[in-house]
Every structure is written in C-alpha cells, then in structure tokens.
Amino acid sequence: MKKVFFISTGRTATNFLASFFENNFSNVTAIHMPAPSRHLRVLSNLYLCDKLTKESLMKQYVWSRKRLFDKIDTEYYVESNNYLHGFSDALATLYPDAIIFHIVRDPRTYIESQINFGVFKGIKGLLTNYFPYWYIKPHTYKKFGEIKWHDMTDIEKVAWRWKIINHELSEFGNRFDNYHLVRFEDIFANDNEGLKYIIKTIGLEYSDDLMKKRASTKTNISTDKEVEHWSKWDEKELDSMYEICNPLFSKYNYDK
C-alpha cells in the first residue's frame, strides 16, 4: 500500500484534499485526520522542541494506525493531517517510499483564517494558552531565540507558528527525495496546476473532468471574523508579520 501524506500548519485545504481523493479515485483510501490523531499534535510539538526522539514518534504512529491499516485494501492510502507537522522524519523512516506533500499558505490569509477559526477562543483558546505543547511556543522552541509569548499580539503568535512549522518542514525537504512543496493558492488556481501536480506526482490519472468535480468538494471555511482582512491590519502589525515570516515569505514566492 503506497502511502501519501499531506502535512502543514493547518488551514491549508487538508479537509478538501482528503475528500477530493477519497471521492474521485477508487484505488485510494483518503482520510482527513483519522482517529486517533489529537495526541499526534502534542507529540509533534514535543519532537520539534527536542523532548522526544524520532523513534518514539515512529512507535506512536504505528500504534495509532495499526487497526486502520489492517482494514485498508486499496492501492493508495492518503492521510491529510496537519497534526503530523513534527512527524515527517518519522514517516520517512517508517515508509521510505512514501510521498510527503508540504502544503504552505500565504501567512497573511493563514493568520486571518487561523484566528477566525477560533484558535484563541473558547476551548481552543484554553488549549492554545494553557495546555502544554498543544501550541508550539517560543519558550519551548528556542532555535530562533526566545520571545515572550505574552508580549506578542495574536497576529504575531500565529505568524511565529507559521514560521516554525514551515521552517521545519522545509528543512526536512532537504533530507527526503519524495518531499514536495505545494502552495495552497496553487491548489485552487484557475489553471489547476497545483492539484494537477499533486495527482500526477502520486501516480494517479489526471483528467479535465476531475476539475469539474473540484468545486463540489467540501472544504472547511472559517466564518467568524475575529480579525479583519490583512489589507486592513495596522501597518506596524503587518510589518511585524513580514519580519517574523521572512525569509520564508519570499522563498515561497509570496509578494507584499
């Protein structure tokens, strides 16, 4: 069974990708964040903060998917799961022939989507602020120097997370031949180049008819408006976001 993983910060069409491949390819089993997965988020952050070994993550992933894998008889297994953001090395060691897609999104729209999806509100807010290693923070991840979490604005907090996770995934890409970077925006581009690239890289058959089905595939859109569109942000906050997110912002070919 060929394994394919979509890994990211979240808010990057992971739900869409799983639904698209599950509904349009009979030889694919595609699942968005299969249970159990929540613990994988904490384990990812512990690993990125040098609190767990790669071997520990490998054991946890095998245990978490054994029952599921025993049931699957399709040619391809596609897991679209942003909680695996620290598992790339573990997955590459477990499954050397796997294909790992790193999905990256413009930090401006990612930050807007993440905040509007409630990362700092209600139960999510409690987990983000108080549950150890649910949300990666500067005092535990010190590779770029320590910043005081409580001195950061909400936009800066999410920008910092965008930077750390995408940095780690890009560094992994330098070590693994079957790593592929795809921009969120290209998945939904009018020319379909992003989605076409993913389909062909996996080894599946592409057709123009597939693109007609794209619009009907479910997505997970944030509807609340806790933060305005980035074009309306305070200039100081926007400049701070650019400072945090560069040089990756430019590396991924995003323009101001």
Side-chain angles (χ1 to χ4, degrees):
M1 181 172 61
K2 183 80 172 183
K3 295 178 176 62
V4 179
F5 299 94
F6 292 105
I7 304 177
S8 71
T9 58
R11 311 309 301 154
T12 52
T14 50
N15 200 341
F16 163 82
L17 288 165
S19 296
F20 178 83
F21 284 98
E22 175 68 17
N23 294 330
N24 292 299
F25 297 94
S26 60
N27 59 341
V28 173
T29 297
I31 306 177
H32 177 246
M33 299 177 69
S37 276
R38 291 187 184 279
H39 67 300
L40 302 179
R41 174 174 176 146
V42 175
L43 296 175
S44 282
N45 290 334
L46 284 166
Y47 176 74
L48 295 182
C49 294
D50 297 322
K51 302 296 183 181
L52 282 180
T53 64
K54 179 180 71 173
E55 290 71 25
S56 297
L57 265 60
M58 290 166 63
K59 292 177 182 177
Q60 285 290 330
Y61 186 80
V62 170
W63 173 83
S64 299
R65 296 291 177 264
K66 184 180 187 309
R67 187 174 297 180
L68 174 63
F69 286 172
D70 286 345
K71 298 177 182 178
I72 295 175
D73 58 4
T74 51
E75 183 180 358
Y76 294 91
Y77 169 73
V78 174
E79 180 166 340
S80 188
N81 193 344
N82 58 278
Y83 286 176
L84 293 174
H85 58 266
F87 274 76
S88 51
D89 284 310
L91 294 172
T93 303
L94 282 169
Y95 314 113
D97 295 329
I99 300 172
I100 297 180
F101 290 99
H102 168 198
I103 311 298
V104 64
R105 181 173 181 173
D106 185 322
R108 294 166 294 194
T109 62
Y110 163 71
I111 292 166
E112 179 186 346
S113 180
Q114 180 84 317
I115 294 176
N116 287 337
F117 200 62
V119 67
F120 298 117
K121 287 179 60 180
I123 296 298
K124 290 181 184 177
L126 289 173
L127 289 170
T128 296
N129 286 305
Y130 301 111
F131 190 87
Y133 293 97
W134 181 256
Y135 204 91
I136 196 165
K137 295 176 182 175
H139 70 277
T140 54
Y141 181 99
K142 301 180 181 180
K143 296 177 185 178
F144 291 107
E146 187 170 338
I147 308 168
K148 290 186 178 180
W149 171 261
H150 295 292
D151 289 343
M152 301 166 76
T153 67
D154 287 351
I155 288 174
E156 289 171 335
K157 290 174 181 177
V158 180
W160 187 86
R161 182 178 187 269
W162 181 93
K163 172 184 178 178
I164 299 309
I165 291 177
N166 286 307
H167 165 77
E168 291 286 349
L169 289 172
S170 289
E171 287 295 302
F172 163 75
N174 295 327
R175 305 188 292 270
F176 188 61
D177 290 340
N178 280 347
Y179 160 95
H180 300 272
L181 175 70
V182 179
R183 301 197 319 172
F184 165 90
E185 294 78 14
D186 294 333
I187 294 173
F188 298 103
N190 291 332
D191 61 7
N192 301 317
E193 284 303 310
L195 199 51
K196 185 187 298 186
Y197 174 77
I198 292 171
I199 293 168
K200 291 186 174 181
T201 299
I202 293 174
L204 298 169
E205 185 175 348
Y206 171 85
S207 71
D208 290 333
D209 288 340
L210 282 173
M211 298 304 103
K212 296 176 183 177
K213 301 176 182 178
R214 186 185 70 175
S216 62
T217 303
K218 68 179 181 179
T219 56
N220 191 13
I221 300 172
S222 53
T223 56
D224 291 339
K225 291 298 177 185
E226 294 295 315
V227 64
E228 293 184 300
H229 186 269
W230 65 266
S231 61
K232 297 181 180 179
W233 293 355
D234 177 87
E235 184 177 351
K236 181 179 179 181
E237 199 138 55
L238 195 58
D239 287 343
S240 177
M241 185 279 300
Y242 286 131
E243 183 177 353
I244 292 170
C245 294
N246 266 316
L248 291 178
F249 182 86
S250 299
K251 177 181 178 178
Y252 299 144
N253 294 318
Y254 290 118
D255 298 319
K256 291 186 178 181

